Amino acid sequence: MIVGHIRAMCYVVAMAEAMIVPFHEAVKAAIWREFELAKARFGNDWQLLCIEENWGDTLDDRHTLRMLRSLNRNGSCYSRMFCRRD
């Protein structure tokens, strides 16, 4: 009787784990969604190209998503201007 109970519990745990969407996949989907919005809005803007080129190299998923959201909301991925060229 106990063996059958343990098997049933293992089956329930395995099914529950199979239904969970990993956090990493959700973040990747959000990044791709933000990329599509930015490309539609800005085209091949230099800020978008910089984010795209550095994603995975010097920018991890968290920073990439934050910069893309900032670009889509504010028109710039930077919080302040640090130099100006006129």
Side-chain angles (χ1 to χ4, degrees):
M1 186 69 166
I2 286 194
V3 173
H5 184 66
I6 291 173
R7 282 187 192 157
M9 291 206 40
C10 290
Y11 177 75
V12 170
V13 170
M15 289 301 294
E17 288 176 357
M19 296 173 59
I20 295 172
V21 176
F23 178 72
H24 187 67
E25 289 180 23
V27 172
K28 293 272 188 196
I31 288 172
W32 284 114
R33 187 172 43 253
E34 293 290 333
F35 264 126
E36 292 300 319
L37 290 172
K39 284 187 185 230
R41 185 173 177 197
F42 300 107
N44 286 329
D45 184 60
W46 67 273
Q47 293 181 74
L48 182 59
L49 293 175
C50 288
I51 295 169
E52 193 171 24
E53 288 293 321
N54 290 308
W55 179 30
D57 292 333
T58 58
L59 292 175
D60 62 1
D61 291 345
R62 182 174 41 108
H63 288 107
T64 301
L65 185 57
R66 185 172 56 199
M67 291 182 81
L68 284 169
R69 285 181 174 164
S70 177
L71 178 64
N72 286 330
R73 290 184 183 132
N74 306 324
S76 175
C77 61
Y78 301 105
S79 59
R80 63 183 170 84
M81 188 176 294
F82 52 90
C83 71
R84 184 174 174 163
R85 180 176 170 222
D86 289 327

